[in-house]
Structures are given as structure tokens and as C-alpha cells.
Amino acid sequence: MNNFNWDTSFLVDFDLQTGQSKTSEVTKRYLSQMKNMFSDTEAAEKILENDDPVIYEFHELGFPEEAGHIAFGTSIVHPGTIGKEYYMTKGHFHTILETAEVYYTLSGEGYMIMENPEGDTLEVPLRKGEAIYVPKRYAHRSVNTGNAPLVMFFSFGAEAGHDYGTIETKGYHKLIVEEDGKPAIIDNPHWK
């Protein structure tokens, strides 16, 4: 937890090109932590024989998870593929399911994959200079389909929490993969 006084105003630095911050806490997700989230687990294991690349990272302030606070930060999804599947975030529901979130693409390109508990899915392109509103009740995952980092600024009610477990066990209905050098949306053959 940072040493901010949450009851007063404060300043935070975020580089609007790289998403990096000297003020915030950084969390990095490595392939070894996500290998079973990619469809081609054999390709993941082969990469891990020689390397453990950072798939994505996020910078945030470690806000108190209390009503009235606003959580915000940046996420950076690095470019690359595991098999044909593009690098992505783990994705999550919010613990308080009735929570929406906003992402603003600072640089890069990709997709936001979303789905609700009833199985309705949305796959929306992410482009520099555009904001996406993730509706309440929707799990969401960022996917980098470009050759440079996908950098986004995010914000949501700090009390919302994160439910990563549901996605870790079930996955998403849809995957974004590279086909003929371009992104393609396909059904997840391993969806549970």
C-alpha cells in the first residue's frame, strides 16, 4: 500500500506513451503464471523451456477497496503470441458484479473481449485515442493484436474487487488469434 493520504488530493505520474509510473505499484504477469490460460498450452510450455516473458503489467496505486474511492491506473499488454493466440490479460469479473469500468487506449491496438455470466459476448477493437465502456456484469480481457505494447488507462469504483478465479477455470467463449497475418475472432475450443 502506498503512503498516500486518501482523504486529500494528490498527484500521480503516468507516462502517456509507455504507461509507466514512478509513483504507482507495478504488478507483472509472466507466462509461467498464465500458461494454462492460453489455448495452446504445448506452445506455452515450449517457450517456458528457455524463457518466461512478461505478458502484461499494470500500474495502480493500491487504493483502499472502499466505496467512495476510484481505482485507476495503466495496463500494458506486450506484443507477441502463444501459438496463434495473441498476448492478453488474464481477464476478470468484478467481485461486485454490478460494476462497470472504463479503459482509454493511450497507444497500440487490440481487442477487449467481454462476456457476462449468461454467456453474451462482445469483442470490441481497441484503438489509440478511443475509450471503451465495459458494462457492469461483464468479465473483460485486453488482447494486444499489434507489434507494439497496448497501453491503456483504466478506472472503476475501488470497492469492486477482482474475480480472476472464474476466468481461470472457465476461460472465455471467444479467442483472438492470428490468421493470415490478421486478428480473427474464433470460438474457444476449450471453453468449460
Side-chain angles (χ1 to χ4, degrees):
M1 179 78 84
N2 285 305
N3 294 322
F4 290 100
N5 179 348
W6 302 111
D7 295 322
T8 64
S9 180
F10 56 87
L11 296 173
V12 181
D13 72 297
F14 288 106
D15 183 296
L16 295 183
Q17 182 64 36
T18 67
Q20 302 290 328
S21 170
K22 296 175 189 150
T23 313
S24 69
E25 298 174 4
V26 62
T27 301
K28 295 184 178 185
R29 301 274 193 238
Y30 293 86
L31 178 57
S32 59
Q33 298 168 300
M34 296 180 60
K35 63 183 180 184
N36 295 325
M37 302 192 83
F38 287 95
S39 182
D40 190 343
T41 55
E42 287 181 22
E45 290 291 351
K46 185 145 184 68
I47 292 168
L48 286 169
E49 289 175 8
N50 301 306
D51 193 17
D52 191 8
V54 175
I55 303 297
Y56 74 100
E57 59 191 90
F58 54 94
H59 297 253
E60 63 180 354
L61 292 176
F63 288 91
E65 293 187 2
E66 301 170 354
H69 291 288
I70 299 172
F72 64 90
T74 56
S75 68
I76 304 157
V77 185
H78 297 282
T81 57
I82 304 297
K84 291 185 173 187
E85 194 171 4
Y86 292 101
Y87 279 18
M88 62 192 177
T89 61
K90 289 174 77 172
H92 62 272
F93 283 99
H94 285 290
T95 307
I96 298 176
L97 197 55
E98 300 301 315
T99 302
E101 188 164 355
V102 172
Y103 287 83
Y104 181 83
T105 304
L106 297 167
S107 63
E109 61 187 68
Y111 275 83
M112 183 70 72
I113 298 177
M114 298 170 275
E115 71 178 56
N116 65 16
E118 292 74 35
D120 297 324
T121 66
L122 300 165
E123 299 81 31
V124 179
L126 299 169
R127 297 180 191 96
K128 180 179 178 177
E130 293 182 350
I132 183 168
Y133 179 82
V134 177
K136 62 185 180 179
R137 299 181 46 76
Y138 275 80
H140 41 287
R141 164 181 282 166
S142 308
V143 180
N144 184 346
T145 60
N147 296 319
L150 171 62
V151 181
M152 293 183 293
F153 182 86
F154 62 84
S155 184
F156 60 93
E159 74 278 13
H162 294 87
D163 168 12
Y164 292 104
T166 300
I167 298 305
E168 287 176 353
T169 57
K170 293 183 69 145
Y172 280 81
H173 281 83
K174 302 291 183 180
L175 303 176
I176 308 290
V177 298
E178 185 177 54
E179 288 186 357
D180 300 322
K182 298 185 298 190
I185 301 166
I186 65 168
D187 291 331
N188 182 352
H190 305 295
W191 190 84
K192 300 173 187 162

